[in-house]
Amino acid sequence: MDNKEANHTNYNYFSPKNITITVNMPVRIPAATRTEIFTMGAASAAGFAPFYLMAPGANERLHKQTDKWAPRWERNITMFRNPVERGVQRVSPPIERTVQRIEHRLPLEKAAKGVERTIRKNLDRLGVKHS
């Protein structure tokens, strides 16, 4: 390589004619479903509730809102009570059978004894008196 080529730098490499710009279509995000909206709302409410309750005067505001809305909810809860009770009566027997079936298959007693043995061994190792 001679000196002329070594000092030569191609400054035209990044000229506009060498740059290719591709335009991609924007990503289409589907509209949120009711379940997604409800879940995000519940998560937001649960996440911000501690900050709301730490704010000064939160007890008074909460008391005021409870006094305002509790009677309305108590009046309207009868609209939900009967269908929910019927649904629970319909669903509870199969759930109860499933729970009983699973209980017989799980080694709960063996697991509980193993946990107790581990706890006792650790207490003995630490020198803590236990019963």
Side-chain angles (χ1 to χ4, degrees):
M1 183 188 291
D2 54 343
N3 207 11
K4 199 177 204 183
E5 289 179 22
N7 291 333
H8 177 64
T9 308
N10 188 357
Y11 292 109
N12 293 327
Y13 181 76
F14 291 107
S15 66
K17 66 180 180 183
N18 290 333
I19 297 175
T20 306
I21 299 175
T22 57
V23 178
N24 293 331
M25 293 297 292
V27 177
R28 295 190 67 208
I29 299 172
T33 63
R34 285 183 187 162
T35 305
E36 291 169 337
I37 291 171
F38 176 76
T39 304
M40 291 302 290
S44 299
F48 286 115
F51 297 115
Y52 175 76
L53 295 174
M54 284 189 292
N59 284 341
E60 291 80 19
R61 286 194 305 272
L62 201 58
H63 180 71
K64 189 174 166 183
Q65 290 298 317
T66 303
D67 285 346
K68 177 181 177 181
W69 289 99
R72 298 176 192 184
W73 276 99
E74 287 172 5
R75 276 195 310 267
N76 293 332
I77 200 70
T78 56
M79 194 167 61
F80 299 106
R81 188 182 66 214
N82 293 336
V84 169
E85 284 178 352
R86 282 195 306 271
V88 168
Q89 288 173 353
R90 182 176 52 81
V91 170
S92 62
I95 291 176
E96 195 174 320
R97 284 193 302 271
T98 305
V99 168
Q100 288 174 352
R101 215 176 314 133
I102 290 174
E103 273 184 349
H104 293 301
R105 286 193 246 164
L106 294 176
L108 296 177
E109 187 175 348
K110 182 179 176 183
K113 287 181 180 177
V115 169
E116 181 186 11
R117 195 175 333 122
T118 304
I119 291 171
R120 286 182 186 273
K121 192 185 332 176
N122 288 333
L123 290 175
D124 289 339
R125 186 171 51 98
L126 293 171
V128 178
K129 187 177 180 181
H130 57 85
S131 56

